[in-house]
Amino acid sequence: MDKFIIEGSHKLKGTVYISGSKNAALPILASALLNEKPIVIKNVPKLKDVFTTIKLLQEMGCKCNFTDNLKIDCSSVKSTKAPYELVKTMRASILVLGPLLARFKHACVSMPGGCAIGVRPVNLHIEALKNMGAQITIEDGYIKAQADKLKGTDIYLDLPTVTGTENIMMAAALAKGCTTIKNAAKEPEIVNLAEALNKMGAHIEGAGESIIKIEGVDHLHESSDISIMSDRIEAGTFMCMALATGSSIDIKHAPTCAMDAVRDKFLEANGVIKKVDDKTIKVWGENIKPINIKTMAYPGFPTDMQAQFVSMLTRASGVSIVEETIFENRFQHVAELKRMGADITLSGNKAIIKGVDKLTGAPVMATDLRASASLVIAALSAYGTTNISRIYHLDRGYEQLDVKLSNLGAKIRRVKE
Ligand code: EPU
C-alpha cells in the first residue's frame, strides 16, 4: 500500500491539465457491451477504476487495447457474469447489468454492498429493468436477470439516481419501442453517455433534462468518435487547493459549463476565476470567507465536492455550515481533519465548521475517494508534514495526483507503507 507524505505551506504555481472524467468513463466503457462492433474512446483517464472496468470486460471475453485511446471490441462475449471479487472493489460494476441484459438476454451481477459513504441500494435499477420486462431475482448475493426482449415503457424514478439513469438508458437503447425516463438524473456525465450511445447509432433525446426518451434500435454500429468529457470534480478539487493554499494556478480543460454551482460557491468563499483562453482558467484567492453549502443532485452542488470544500473552509474567517443530503455517511473526513486541528462539529447531516488560523500536519487515514482529496487539501495548507495512508482510495479517481501536484511545486512524495 502506498501513502503520501506532504510538507505543507508551500504555494502552488503553474498549470495543471484536467483528465477525463471517471464518472463519465465508467458508463461509457460499460456501454461497449451493447455493441457487436468495436469502438474507440478518447480521453480515457488512466485510473484504477478504469482498469478494474477493463478487467471486468476482459473477463467477459471483450478485447481491450488501451494506449493513447481505448479500443474495446465486445464482438465475442463468453460470460455475462460480473463476479463479486471485482464488484466489491468497484460498485460502478453495476453499470454492466443493463447492457448485458439488453444484448445477451441474461446477466448475473454481484449485488454491490454498502460502501464507506452510505448504504447505496440499487433497488431503482432493478425495479426499472423489471418494468421493462426482465425477470430478476437475488440469489447467493447475485442479481440474476433475464429477458427475451426488453420492452420500452415509462419509468418514473423516485430519486434521480445517476448510475440508475445510465443503466436504464443503456438497456433501453436496444429495447423494443420507446422508453421514457421521468425524474432522470441530469448530471453532465449522463449527457456524455447519451452522446456516446448516439454516436453508436442509439436514439436518445433529452439527456441532461429530467425527461429522457430512448427509441430502441436493433443493433449499434462501430464508432471511433467517442470522447470522455473532462473531470469537473478533479477541476473543482484543484480550485479548492489553490484557495486553501493562497495560490494562483492555471487549470486547463476544466469543463466550466458543467461547474456552475462549484464556481458560485468558490467565488462566494473569496476565490477568483479568470478566463485565460478557451481552454484555460486562472484561479486564485486568499482570506477564505465562510459559506453555507447544501449538496444536491445536478445542477445543485455536487456531493463529490463536499469533502474538498469542508477541508478548505476549516480555515475560513468564521462559521460555515455544510449539509450533505445525498449520502448518509459522507463525513468520514471530519474526524481526520480534526486530528489536524480543524474545529468541526457534526450535527445530523450537517457539519458546522469554525474557521481556525492554522492546521498542523498529522498522520491521517484516507477513508474514501473524495475524503482522501480533502486530506490532501488540508495537508497542502497545514504547517508541518502530513502522512496520508491508504491512498489507494485516491488512485481510484484521480489520475497521477501526486505527479500533477509536484509539477505545481507541492512537496509531495508517494512511498510504500
Ligand atoms: N439510491 C437509492 N436507490 C437506488 C439508487 C440510488 O435509494 O437504486 C439513492 C442512493 O443511496 C443515494 C441517492 O439515491 O442516496 C443518489 O445516488 P446515485 O444512485 O445517484 O449515486 P450513484 O449512481 O451510485 C454516482 C457517482 C458517485 C456520486 C453520485 C451522486 C458514478 C460511478 N458514481 O453514484 O460518485 O457521488 O452519483 O452524484 O457515477 C465519486 O465519484 O466519488 C462518487 C461516489
Side-chain angles (χ1 to χ4, degrees):
M1 264 198 280
D2 291 354
K3 68 175 178 181
F4 279 167
I5 301 178
I6 300 176
E7 190 187 298
S9 296
H10 294 283
K11 295 260 190 220
L12 306 176
K13 64 170 195 286
T15 303
V16 63
Y17 290 77
I18 300 304
S19 300
S21 155
K22 167 180 84 79
N23 289 347
L26 302 182
I28 291 178
L29 265 62
S31 77
L33 281 167
L34 288 164
N35 204 333
E36 296 150 38
K37 305 278 183 206
I39 59 170
V40 179
I41 314 171
K42 296 173 191 152
N43 201 33
V44 180
K46 293 205 157 69
L47 296 172
K48 190 134 154 258
D49 275 7
V50 165
F51 292 121
T52 305
T53 307
I54 290 175
K55 193 167 172 207
L56 182 58
L57 294 175
Q58 284 172 330
E59 289 205 355
M60 291 174 179
C62 308
K63 294 188 190 75
C64 301
N65 183 354
F66 195 6
T67 48
D68 273 358
N69 298 327
L70 171 61
K71 184 172 176 188
I72 310 181
D73 179 349
C74 298
S75 53
S76 54
V77 168
K78 297 181 207 75
S79 155
T80 55
K81 182 169 180 179
Y84 175 66
E85 289 66 38
L86 287 177
V87 177
K88 75 173 183 205
T89 66
M90 192 188 66
R91 309 184 83 262
S93 312
I94 187 73
L95 285 164
V96 299
L97 178 62
L100 286 174
L101 188 56
R103 182 167 154 215
F104 301 101
K105 307 181 197 302
H106 50 82
C108 179
V109 177
S110 174
M111 183 86 173
C115 81
I117 62 178
V119 179
R120 304 186 73 183
V122 289
N123 57 311
L124 300 174
H125 304 228
I126 293 173
E127 284 310 315
L129 293 171
K130 279 186 179 168
N131 285 340
M132 295 174 76
Q135 288 106 49
I136 301 187
T137 52
I138 313 289
E139 285 170 46
D140 312 323
Y142 279 81
I143 303 168
K144 295 192 176 167
Q146 64 173 61
D148 281 345
K149 181 77 181 163
L150 291 173
K151 291 189 191 69
T153 185
D154 278 12
I155 293 166
Y156 169 77
L157 292 173
D158 288 337
L159 285 165
T161 158
V162 176
T163 48
T165 301
E166 291 165 344
N167 239 334
I168 302 164
M169 258 168 55
M170 291 189 279
L174 291 186
K176 188 174 166 51
C178 181
T179 303
T180 304
I181 313 175
K182 296 177 180 163
N183 197 28
K186 297 184 235 172
E187 268 67 4
E189 292 76 15
I190 286 169
V191 179
N192 200 185
L193 172 64
E195 283 164 0
L197 287 166
N198 284 344
K199 282 185 177 160
M200 296 182 229
H203 290 169
I204 302 177
E205 279 178 16
E209 293 159 32
S210 59
I211 298 183
I212 303 178
K213 283 188 194 291
I214 306 116
E215 189 66 49
V217 295
D218 286 339
H219 299 277
L220 297 182
H221 55 67
E222 57 183 39
S223 173
S224 50
D225 191 24
I226 296 167
S227 188
I228 305 294
M229 65 177 285
S230 297
D231 196 318
R232 61 194 170 105
I233 306 301
E234 188 193 12
T237 303
F238 276 103
M239 286 163 67
C240 289
M241 287 170 175
L243 186 46
T245 56
S247 308
S248 168
I249 59 172
D250 285 0
I251 305 183
K252 264 205 196 297
H253 305 307
T256 47
C257 55
M259 294 180 66
D260 286 4
V262 168
R263 178 203 57 210
D264 287 358
K265 288 294 166 186
F266 180 78
L267 297 177
E268 204 184 320
N270 216 26
V272 188
I273 306 176
K274 196 178 125 206
K275 183 174 168 181
V276 177
D277 58 42
D278 280 352
K279 294 192 173 124
T280 319
I281 52 169
K282 187 180 280 301
V283 299
W284 72 95
E286 51 193 351
N287 303 325
I288 303 163
K289 286 190 187 155
I291 56 170
N292 296 336
I293 293 175
K294 182 173 181 176
T295 63
M296 292 171 81
Y298 191 86
F301 185 92
T303 173
D304 291 346
M305 281 303 303
Q306 178 258 103
Q308 300 89 316
F309 267 74
V310 165
S311 179
M312 185 183 85
L313 292 170
T314 57
R315 290 185 40 259
S317 58
V319 179
S320 305
I321 299 178
V322 175
E323 185 177 352
E324 171 60 53
T325 73
I326 307 292
F327 293 112
E328 63 277 18
N329 192 27
R330 210 174 197 182
F331 276 129
Q332 292 200 34
H333 41 289
V334 165
E336 300 300 299
L337 291 171
K338 284 168 88 164
R339 304 192 66 250
M340 299 177 71
D343 182 347
I344 309 176
T345 310
L346 287 180
S347 168
N349 68 339
K350 291 189 182 132
I352 299 145
I353 308 152
K354 283 192 193 143
V356 293
D357 284 344
K358 64 170 190 177
L359 299 178
T360 47
V364 289
M365 200 167 73
T367 48
D368 70 76
L369 170 56
R370 310 302 171 189
S372 320
S374 86
L375 297 179
V376 173
I377 294 169
L380 291 170
S381 70
Y383 284 86
T385 301
T386 301
N387 288 349
I388 309 179
S389 55
R390 300 199 179 175
I391 52 151
Y392 58 86
H393 290 293
L394 197 108
D395 292 333
R396 292 185 46 198
Y398 288 91
E399 188 176 35
Q400 296 201 313
L401 186 66
D402 46 335
V403 176
K404 291 186 183 186
L405 278 170
S406 289
N407 290 341
L408 292 173
K411 305 282 179 243
I412 177 167
R413 281 186 301 132
R414 178 188 286 264
V415 297
K416 293 263 173 257
E417 288 202 70

